[in-house]
Amino acid sequence: RLEIVLDEFKHYTIKPLFFLDMRVYFVNNASFTDSLMNEMAIRVTNLIHKYDGYNWIYVESVNHDFLKKVKDYNSKVQLLLDGNITTDNINKVLEIQGKGIVSNNSTITEELVNLAHLNGLQVSVFDIKSRSSHIKAIKNNVDFIQSDNVELLMNILNGY
């Protein structure tokens, strides 16, 4: 369970960052979808509150409506929209007072990262599999690298 992991780190002075990737896919039934989204938003905000995770737990989702509900329940939760860095997505994140955008590393460029940064947003990248993809993310000046190979990432960073 996630709570076992969060409980382990709640007392640490320096906490790792956690990214709760909320894949919110619902059936095509508006009342059911709204009810389920509300319940998920309540549970995730309660979890973050329980562990005082406002500075170390991020909620990310492709579903902008879900992120809005999370923000409505607790404005202190840090939100990341999962999608490409576009003007439209930047505006969506700003609308909910989110922290940034999560994007596939293959779709980003230094210019797109700079555009997000100019708007006060952070950029997190995923799908980092090779040495060259780690280096690309570093050179593009992203804020977070979601890597399955932390040892390789650390070796690269120690070389810089």
Side-chain angles (χ1 to χ4, degrees):
R1 290 188 59 179
L2 178 60
E3 289 193 55
I4 293 170
V5 176
L6 295 177
D7 199 50
E8 175 69 27
F9 291 108
K10 74 179 180 184
H11 301 292
Y12 282 40
T13 303
I14 299 174
K15 295 175 177 55
L17 297 179
F18 279 83
F19 294 83
L20 302 179
D21 187 356
M22 306 298 293
R23 297 294 165 170
V24 186
Y25 301 109
F26 298 114
V27 296
N28 197 12
N29 178 324
S31 62
F32 177 76
T33 297
D34 196 49
S35 172
L36 196 53
M37 234 189 319
N38 281 330
E39 183 64 27
M40 287 181 68
I42 289 168
R43 287 181 185 245
V44 76
T45 55
N46 286 346
L47 181 73
I48 293 168
H49 179 74
K50 177 181 178 179
Y51 291 98
D52 193 26
Y54 300 112
N55 294 320
W56 57 286
I57 302 173
Y58 290 76
V59 176
E60 68 178 74
S61 182
V62 297
N63 190 314
H64 181 251
D65 291 332
F66 173 72
L67 293 175
K68 284 193 325 192
K69 286 189 181 295
V70 170
K71 190 57 120 182
D72 288 344
Y73 284 114
N74 191 323
S75 62
K76 296 191 295 185
V77 174
Q78 299 188 79
L79 305 175
L80 300 169
L81 180 66
D82 194 337
N84 293 330
I85 301 172
T86 63
T87 304
D88 185 48
N89 282 342
I90 287 172
N91 289 333
K92 286 179 180 179
V93 175
L94 294 174
E95 172 196 331
I96 59 171
Q97 299 174 336
K99 285 295 202 179
I101 297 177
V102 180
S103 192
N104 188 305
N105 193 49
S106 66
T107 67
I108 65 159
T109 63
E110 187 175 3
E111 293 77 21
L112 290 172
V113 173
N114 287 340
L115 177 63
H117 287 164
L118 286 172
N119 283 278
L121 301 178
Q122 298 172 324
V123 176
S124 178
V125 291
F126 65 93
D127 200 23
I128 315 286
K129 307 255 189 258
S130 65
R131 180 175 186 78
S132 63
S133 62
H134 282 82
I135 291 170
K136 176 187 176 192
I138 293 165
K139 287 184 176 180
N140 282 332
N141 199 30
V142 301
D143 301 284
F144 307 109
I145 299 174
Q146 298 180 24
S147 174
D148 292 333
N149 192 340
V150 176
E151 185 176 348
L152 174 61
L153 176 58
M154 294 304 296
N155 286 335
I156 294 169
L157 288 171
N158 287 332
Y160 272 76

